Amino acid sequence: MSGPGGGVVIQDYADMVIDSESVGRDWAPVHRWASALDDGRLVFADDEDLSAAD
């Protein structure tokens, strides 16, 4: 994950990601990845929000 700390991707929701135009709204978008951060939080992110560990 980019930003502070690190974590592990735990689920790929690629089959659930839909175009916002298909549902007629641009709020509450579905994010592709569920990630467990090292500090215990569960976050949802898109491809551009992730980075590989060094």
Side-chain angles (χ1 to χ4, degrees):
M1 302 279 316
S2 59
V8 177
V9 171
I10 56 171
Q11 184 67 42
D12 180 358
Y13 290 101
D15 57 337
M16 297 180 143
V17 175
I18 55 176
D19 183 9
S20 61
E21 292 178 14
S22 299
V23 293
R25 62 176 168 77
D26 60 359
W27 50 270
V30 176
H31 297 288
R32 178 166 181 179
W33 304 102
S35 301
L37 300 184
D38 293 341
D39 65 8
R41 292 179 293 158
L42 177 64
V43 298
F44 297 89
D46 294 314
D47 292 338
E48 63 270 9
D49 300 321
L50 302 176
S51 61
D54 295 330

